[in-house]
Amino acid sequence: MTEPKKLRVATCSLAGCFGCHMSLLDIDEKLFDLLKVVEFDRSPITDIKTCGPCDIGIVEGGVCNAENVHVLKEFRKNCKVLVAMGACAITGGIPALRNNVDLWDCFQEVYHYGIGLENGQIPNDPELPLPFDKVHPINEVVRIDYFLPGCPPSADAIWQFLTDLAAGREPKLDYEMLHYD
Amino acid sequence: MVILTMDKTFILDGKTIPFEEGETIMEAASAAGVYIPHLCHHPEFKPHGSCKLCTVSIGGRLGASCTNKAAAGMVVESETEALNADRRALTQMLFVEGNHICPSCEKSGNCQLQAVAYHLDMLTPHFTHFYPARDIDASHPDVLLERNRCILCELCVRASRDVDGKNVFGIGGRGIKSRLIVNSASGRLADTNLSVTDRAVEVCPTGAILRKRHGFTVPIGRRLYDHHDIAEVPVAGMKEPRSS
């Protein structure tokens, strides 16, 4: 008997803190069960740098710079189903707290006036992605198929969501798994 | 004991609901233990009818259940897919109109806006975020006014005027420029006679009016709506459910 074809999954973190990915790892030993039905493409877990054709793309974090948009569009182009995971991808989250602060003032505060800084310099390397004046949720840039809220979503919520999706069911979160913080 | 006669009832989602003369649909439903989603309604205060979450179909016409009086024989629908979809859209609009960043908010877990969104299974605010620029007033020694989280329900306005007798709050501006204002020459909260024990401070359904030095005192897992849907959590001041 041949093994059923595994779902190919890509994940990335844009303007996020990797907390959602930590929560993904927090599935613990169930990761072994998960790996029976999925295989990872581009992801911090595999360290593959570009996204190939995938069944599911999971995006953590909002969009705060030009590179974020590039990666997000690459995911949308390659993934049949695109999931916004966590508060930042869905609402902009904590990084969006800067949306009413002038970007230059923000840089000055971080690199010049921050406590303990001496001779601070604002990074200006041409390789650094261009920051945006505001942070946006990813559904304001590309079409998103599913939203998995939480800061981060709990390991149980991620497990429930992924197993529903892998089994071809409409993902459904129980009351206690749905939270925005 | 009140003897309920047949002419003092109406039908809500197929269930017979008794009411007393003068009661609104919302009041009669609450007394019967039936939850209708709401944010600007509070049993202790005069109805405001502004959030529109409690909109129900009354004999085929839409109306706010907090302002429409119950009448004998009326047929009311609340838990329909279409009405809950409208409620979800209204809640989503409230989220994108303000700056509701739950992970950084002291009220998270105890917030009615958030709890109503959970109740309505809101997975995303959906609409384009406004990220409006709103002022914070931290001038008062004991109370923080965080306008980013204000949903203009006017509960603090009503509480300060009708219960505290101080008239500290009001709504200024129009349309999208409406904002919570403070009744002092300077416009600062510190220059009013607001006290931390005022009803106006306690009644805020979101994290817009907060007692200072009380943030995050209840750990995650023990907050009001961590395990219980807002429909199951009694609101202070609500009438005791009538025994049927």
Side-chain angles (χ1 to χ4, degrees):
Chain A
M1 207 176 114
T2 54
E3 291 271 311
K5 192 177 171 294
K6 286 184 178 181
L7 288 172
R8 200 159 173 84
V9 177
T11 77
C12 66
S13 181
L14 307 178
C17 69
F18 276 92
C20 296
H21 274 81
M22 295 307 288
S23 204
L24 173 65
L25 293 178
D26 208 21
I27 293 175
D28 293 338
E29 71 268 27
K30 282 193 228 154
L31 271 173
F32 292 105
D33 296 329
L34 189 66
L35 287 172
K36 288 178 193 159
V37 288
V38 309
E39 58 187 1
F40 285 99
D41 190 272
R42 173 180 174 154
S43 168
I45 298 167
T46 59
D47 213 21
I48 297 172
K49 303 297 186 195
T50 54
C51 180
C54 285
D55 298 294
I56 302 169
I58 301 173
V59 181
E60 169 190 340
V63 168
C64 78
N65 64 35
E67 192 218 6
N68 290 161
V69 173
H70 176 81
V71 174
L72 183 57
K73 286 188 169 169
E74 180 191 80
F75 267 62
R76 180 67 278 180
K77 196 176 154 199
N78 284 289
C79 303
K80 288 181 198 156
V81 168
L82 199 57
V83 180
M85 173 167 70
C88 301
I90 296 172
T91 73
I94 300 290
L97 283 170
R98 78 158 163 89
N99 280 0
N100 283 300
V101 180
D102 179 81
L103 190 58
W104 187 246
D105 291 346
C106 211
F107 277 152
Q108 298 256 353
E109 185 63 32
V110 171
Y111 295 107
H112 281 160
Y113 307 135
I115 296 164
L117 285 181
E118 281 177 39
N119 303 321
Q121 292 177 49
I122 293 174
N124 195 25
D125 192 287
E127 280 203 7
L128 289 172
L130 198 65
F132 293 157
D133 65 337
K134 279 187 175 19
V135 180
H136 292 275
I138 60 174
N139 67 308
E140 291 183 12
V141 181
V142 298
R143 180 174 57 80
I144 299 298
D145 301 293
Y146 292 103
F147 298 86
L148 176 55
C151 185
S154 67
D156 286 346
I158 295 173
W159 170 253
Q160 174 79 39
F161 185 87
L162 287 179
T163 46
D164 277 354
L165 217 53
R169 291 188 297 264
E170 191 69 18
K172 177 89 183 97
L173 296 179
D174 297 337
Y175 180 82
E176 300 204 14
M177 288 184 188
L178 173 60
H179 56 92
Y180 304 155
D181 61 1
Chain B
M1 186 183 151
V2 181
I3 296 170
L4 300 163
T5 52
M6 277 307 289
D7 59 341
K8 284 283 185 70
T9 65
F10 65 97
I11 306 293
L12 174 58
D13 291 331
K15 193 177 165 190
T16 303
I17 307 286
F19 68 94
E20 286 166 17
E21 201 56 46
E23 270 185 343
T24 60
I25 296 170
M26 173 71 84
E27 285 168 335
S30 304
V34 177
Y35 173 74
I36 300 173
H38 59 267
L39 282 167
C40 74
H41 165 78
H42 189 289
E44 280 178 37
F45 302 104
K46 211 177 142 198
H48 195 243
S50 62
C51 80
K52 301 296 174 199
L53 278 187
C54 76
T55 299
V56 291
S57 162
I58 308 162
R61 297 178 67 163
L62 298 180
S65 60
C66 69
T67 55
N68 278 276
K69 295 262 193 292
M74 63 167 38
V75 178
V76 181
E77 286 185 319
S78 174
E79 282 303 309
T80 69
E81 210 170 295
L83 282 170
N84 277 330
D86 288 348
R87 288 170 183 147
R88 200 176 304 118
L90 287 170
T91 309
Q92 287 170 323
M93 287 191 257
L94 286 174
F95 267 85
V96 300
E97 271 176 25
N99 293 304
H100 299 280
I101 301 181
C102 298
S104 71
C105 180
E106 298 89 329
K107 196 66 178 266
S108 191
N110 298 309
C111 168
Q112 290 177 32
L113 176 65
Q114 190 188 58
V116 162
Y118 292 165
H119 174 81
L120 296 167
D121 216 16
M122 185 188 107
L123 297 175
T124 162
H126 176 76
F127 299 106
T128 301
H129 283 70
F130 287 23
Y131 298 122
R134 293 195 190 161
D135 295 331
I136 294 174
D137 183 342
S139 63
H140 194 284
D142 302 316
V143 179
L144 175 69
L145 182 54
E146 226 298 14
R147 290 188 179 87
N148 288 298
R149 304 160 184 171
C150 178
I151 57 169
L152 305 170
C153 68
E154 293 199 27
L155 273 169
C156 58
V157 178
R158 285 176 275 168
S160 187
R161 183 189 63 210
D162 302 339
V163 179
D164 304 328
K166 293 184 181 176
N167 238 351
V168 169
F169 297 105
I171 302 293
R174 288 195 173 272
I176 198 63
K177 289 182 178 162
S178 302
R179 67 201 187 280
L180 187 62
I181 53 171
V182 169
N183 187 12
S184 65
S186 63
R188 285 163 19 115
L189 208 52
D191 299 325
T192 68
N193 57 347
L194 181 83
S195 153
V196 70
T197 54
D198 282 358
R199 193 78 177 92
V201 174
E202 192 247 340
V203 79
C204 179
T206 72
I209 303 176
L210 294 167
R211 287 192 297 158
K212 287 186 179 177
R213 297 173 294 279
H214 285 81
F216 308 110
T217 45
V218 181
I220 292 173
R222 284 174 32 202
R223 302 170 303 180
L224 204 51
Y225 305 113
D226 278 339
H227 307 291
H228 298 287
D229 190 297
I230 190 168
E232 303 161 10
V233 178
V235 175
M238 195 153 79
K239 285 183 184 173
E240 286 292 309
R242 273 192 283 266
S243 49
S244 48

